[in-house]
Amino acid sequence: MSSVALLVRPPVGAAPAGVAGVAGRAMAFLDHFAGVFTLLSLTAVVACGLAATDRLVLTPRLRVAVQSVHRASAVAALGFLATHIAVKVIERHTTAQTAVAPFTGGAALAVCLGTVAADLLVLVAVTGVLRGRFAGSRRPWLWRVLHSTAYVCWPIALAHGLTAGRRAHAWVVWGYGLCAALIALALIVRGLSYLGGRRNLSQSRRGVKAYRPTAARPAALAALSARPHTGVRPNAWAARPGSGE
């Protein structure tokens, strides 16, 4: 019976070893793909932010839906970014100081590029949350300037992903190229929408300028003032027959 019990009972260190194995595989997965997921989410943030300003293709309802995807992608990008930084610090691929302040701690340039992109992403997210505060201030244009740093954050994050760490697989490089093509398409759509809006504005301005009331001539004004006064009001009721008037 004791031999049967030994066969049935798992070894004492089997459960902890299994948990450690699962944790190790999870850490390895996050080490490989948390940064990739961050870049994909950031790509969706920039692409949806550009598409939400379109006035040529999207209807107002679709623009609201795209803005919702824009905000959700920003939240996902922040979550993946926090996970990516935490994994790299735990595995001692970088330090906490370098993860916050770039070009410190003797880190490589590729790692510092990731820190710059991370700081810019946090800035973009904070300005997105505080947009109402900027709208009520004396400098509403400041929000657009700060929020537009996403256009700087994205290429820096792309350069970080291609140069930092291990050599990227071919499918990762193709995926990054697809992200770049998506952003280029969104920029083209944004440019066409901007040009279309400017064209419509110029046409409306030309229509306003085309209507110019004729200036009254002094001779006509003098002739009107010289006419005798008849004493009849323009809006007077005409006398009806049989009314006794």
Side-chain angles (χ1 to χ4, degrees), residues 80-134:
F80 288 129
L81 175 64
T83 304
H84 178 60
I85 294 175
V87 170
K88 293 302 181 181
V89 172
I90 291 173
E91 294 187 348
R92 297 182 180 179
H93 293 166
T94 186
T95 62
Q97 178 184 357
T98 305
V100 176
F103 307 104
T104 59
L109 176 62
V111 178
C112 294
L113 289 178
T115 304
V116 173
D119 294 341
L120 291 176
L121 178 56
V122 173
L123 176 62
V124 170
V126 171
T127 54
V129 173
L130 300 178
R131 181 175 183 177
R133 299 288 185 88
F134 284 94

Side-chain angles (χ1 to χ4, degrees), residues 193-209:
S193 177
Y194 176 76
L195 293 177
R198 291 293 299 271
R199 188 180 298 110
N200 294 335
L201 181 60
S202 62
Q203 290 177 357
S204 62
R205 287 179 176 176
R206 282 199 299 267
V208 171
K209 292 180 179 179

Side-chain angles (χ1 to χ4, degrees), residues 68-190:
S68 300
V69 177
H70 173 71
R71 298 187 184 96
S73 301
V75 174
L78 289 176
F80 288 129
L81 175 64
T83 304
H84 178 60
I85 294 175
V87 170
K88 293 302 181 181
V89 172
I90 291 173
E91 294 187 348
R92 297 182 180 179
H93 293 166
T94 186
T95 62
Q97 178 184 357
T98 305
V100 176
F103 307 104
T104 59
L109 176 62
V111 178
C112 294
L113 289 178
T115 304
V116 173
D119 294 341
L120 291 176
L121 178 56
V122 173
L123 176 62
V124 170
V126 171
T127 54
V129 173
L130 300 178
R131 181 175 183 177
R133 299 288 185 88
F134 284 94
S137 64
R138 297 181 179 179
R139 299 187 181 111
W141 54 267
L142 183 59
W143 176 87
R144 187 174 297 276
V145 172
L146 294 177
H147 203 67
S148 297
T149 53
Y151 302 130
V152 182
C153 172
W154 184 85
I156 294 177
L158 182 65
H160 166 73
L162 291 175
T163 57
R166 64 187 63 84
R167 184 178 180 181
H169 295 284
W171 65 269
V172 176
V173 177
W174 280 102
Y176 285 3
L178 181 61
C179 291
L182 182 62
I183 295 300
L185 178 61
L187 283 173
I188 292 174
V189 173
R190 177 69 180 92

Side-chain angles (χ1 to χ4, degrees), residues 36-49:
V36 177
F37 292 157
T38 304
L39 181 63
L40 292 177
S41 301
L42 181 59
T43 301
V45 170
V46 178
C48 292

